[in-house]
Amino acid sequence: MTYGRAPVVRCLGVPSVAPMRVLVTGGAGFIGSHVVEALTARGHEAVVFDVREDPGADVRDPAAVARALAGVDAVCHQAAMVGLGNGVLDAAEYVSHNDLGTAVLLAAMAEAGVRRLVLAGSMVVYGEGRYDCPRHGGVRPGPRAVSDLDAGRFEPPCPVCGEDLAPGLVDEDAPADPRNVYATTKLAQEHLAAAWARCTGGSAVTLRYHNVYGPGMPRDTPYAGVASFFRSALARGEAPRVFEDGRQRRDFVHVRDVAAANVSALEAASPSGALTAYNTGSGDPHTVGDMARALAAASGGPEPVVTGEYRLGDVRHITADSSRLREALGWKPEVGFEEGVAEFARAGMRDA
């Protein structure tokens, strides 16, 4: 079996560590392909392991993973089923791809002696973001009631007094509270990575991505992000459909900035025997409605339509405090919202 291998490209700004041979699972996907480009630009050798390029490159296949790990110095694990999907109907597929696949990979890494891992984590592990009540300070609202959502009451109330809350930035020390199947599998991936690090003395980093967007997003799929839904609609000449009231706060971060964060994490000297978590966001929150309007304006398409619909398992507000990543690894986002959206409005999309 052969695996795609990106050519090594030398550039100015070489890494402070020796060039590495890095296995990128999901390396032909949306984020993974950008990670491969970023690694190559830094002088590393990226080995692509992805079913899109080779149907036999399944991260759940121990033999295939073991062969792919030959001569590898580190792993950047991007392969996963993503998005909210179809409720619990596809729960088995999520668990199989995300959790079984990660377990197989980690076992093979332990056997092969590969001791450096960067995991594509997600902000979904937090559930709702941080909220402050004027009377009770920081609170953690529970899942929103269907009756409230049906009535168009989208903001979660204070769980103590029922008053309105002010959303804020969530940091890595916030307790996990996954609200859907995908979120549950992403948290399980982190626990598996932490167990691997403790057992092997390896270093593991999870980058908790916020809402990643940019060139190469998949089109027309229930597993893509909201920016992809809007972009796909505009490409068909249709108005983007904005759920709830469009005021949901998110941290939209450009895919090239996320790829750069992966390279920074791979090159950093991370603690051995432990998992380190970093939020990976732009630090510039916008609403879902903002993204829809900005994309429509940049593409010259129809104005968004706010529908009032909702999806169970969605959270109201989740925005990142990414200061730990900036301070520890020297990473910072380079692509601003206006610039990134203008590019994304013109960029091509992938079919899967």
Side-chain angles (χ1 to χ4, degrees):
M1 184 183 300
T2 59
Y3 305 98
R5 187 175 302 169
V8 175
V9 178
R10 303 292 174 184
C11 62
L12 299 176
V14 294
S16 57
V17 298
M20 292 181 285
R21 190 166 190 253
V22 182
L23 181 69
V24 184
T25 69
F30 167 45
I31 298 175
S33 61
H34 286 273
V35 171
V36 167
E37 290 179 7
L39 285 167
T40 303
R42 289 285 286 175
H44 301 295
E45 181 184 8
V47 180
V48 176
F49 186 84
D50 196 305
V51 292
R52 298 172 184 86
E53 291 201 350
D54 183 343
D58 189 330
V59 75
R60 297 167 295 180
D61 181 344
V65 173
R67 289 192 294 271
L69 285 169
V72 161
D73 302 302
V75 173
C76 188
H77 185 30
Q78 304 292 318
M81 279 186 70
V82 300
L84 193 57
N86 296 306
V88 297
L89 297 179
D90 42 18
E93 285 295 299
Y94 272 101
V95 172
S96 176
H97 284 88
N98 296 356
D99 299 338
L100 174 60
T102 299
V104 169
L105 173 66
L106 293 173
M109 289 175 64
E111 182 71 23
V114 180
R115 297 292 183 262
R116 185 174 296 196
L117 170 71
V118 174
L119 172 68
S122 175
M123 53 81 180
V124 295
V125 301
Y126 297 119
E128 288 285 352
R130 175 185 170 185
Y131 291 85
D132 289 302
C133 172
R135 294 174 57 190
H136 298 99
V139 294
R140 299 279 297 175
R144 295 180 292 175
V146 171
S147 58
D148 285 339
L149 295 171
D150 284 341
R153 295 188 294 269
F154 302 119
E155 295 288 346
C158 174
V160 181
C161 65
E163 293 295 322
D164 294 339
L165 299 173
L169 301 181
V170 62
D171 65 24
E172 293 88 348
D173 296 326
D177 184 17
R179 299 286 176 89
N180 54 58
V181 169
Y182 170 60
T184 302
T185 65
K186 295 306 288 184
L187 182 58
Q189 283 185 311
E190 291 193 356
H191 288 313
L192 288 166
W196 167 85
R198 287 192 297 271
C199 289
T200 65
S203 67
V205 170
T206 179
L207 297 175
R208 290 173 176 167
Y209 301 161
H210 281 249
N211 289 71
V212 186
Y213 75 99
M217 282 194 89
R219 73 174 89 239
D220 297 326
T221 166
Y223 302 97
V226 66
S228 174
F229 298 160
F230 297 157
R231 178 70 173 76
S232 295
L234 289 163
R236 298 190 300 267
E238 300 172 2
R241 295 176 61 82
V242 180
F243 280 16
E244 301 187 17
D245 57 6
R247 298 189 182 122
Q248 310 94 301
R249 283 163 52 92
R250 297 291 187 268
D251 188 326
F252 294 100
V253 59
H254 196 275
V255 66
R256 286 197 298 273
D257 287 331
V258 168
N262 276 269
V263 177
S264 294
L266 282 164
E267 293 179 355
S270 300
S272 298
L275 174 74
T276 305
Y278 294 111
N279 287 336
T280 308
S282 70
D284 182 24
H286 287 80
T287 68
V288 170
D290 289 340
M291 172 58 82
R293 288 187 293 272
L295 274 175
S299 63
E303 285 288 313
V305 175
V306 178
T307 68
E309 298 171 86
Y310 64 86
R311 297 192 303 177
L312 279 177
D314 268 344
V315 297
R316 179 61 174 173
H317 304 296
I318 177 68
T319 52
D321 177 354
S322 298
S323 58
R324 181 181 294 179
L325 179 58
R326 296 173 186 239
E327 294 164 4
L329 303 186
W331 169 90
K332 64 177 182 178
E334 301 288 347
V335 184
F337 182 77
E338 291 77 13
E339 173 193 354
V341 171
E343 177 197 24
F344 180 46
R346 301 186 301 268
M349 301 181 75
R350 64 178 64 229
D351 291 329

